[in-house]
Amino acid sequence: YNYDVRTANQQLVYMLHDGFAVLAVCFIFVHMYQMILLHPQALRRVFGGQVPAAWAEIYRSEWKPAR
């Protein structure tokens, strides 16, 4: 087995792995940016667990209000 070919293939695989890792981190940051800056009310709803009754009536009519 040619050592030079294996080393070149490993370098290519490492480079691809690192590139995809950077791309994944970028996607995560873009998603966080969209959620926090463009839709700040969504963050409160995700962690607060409450949505406006009008929204629930339109999108989740099977939900019942808490008593």
Side-chain angles (χ1 to χ4, degrees):
Y1 193 75
N2 189 345
Y3 179 76
D4 294 332
V5 172
R6 188 179 76 190
T7 303
N9 288 340
Q10 285 176 336
Q11 288 177 346
L12 175 64
V13 169
Y14 288 147
M15 206 167 55
L16 287 173
H17 177 271
D18 293 345
F20 282 117
V22 169
L23 189 61
V25 168
C26 289
F27 279 127
I28 290 170
F29 280 118
V30 167
H31 186 81
M32 289 170 51
Y33 167 79
Q34 288 176 333
M35 185 175 85
I36 293 170
L37 296 179
L38 300 179
H39 302 287
Q41 71 280 3
L43 191 61
R44 287 190 295 274
R45 291 174 184 163
V46 165
F47 290 109
Q50 295 180 351
V51 296
W55 184 92
E57 184 64 35
I58 294 170
Y59 295 103
R60 295 290 185 255
S61 59
E62 69 275 6
W63 288 358
K64 302 296 180 213
R67 297 185 180 154

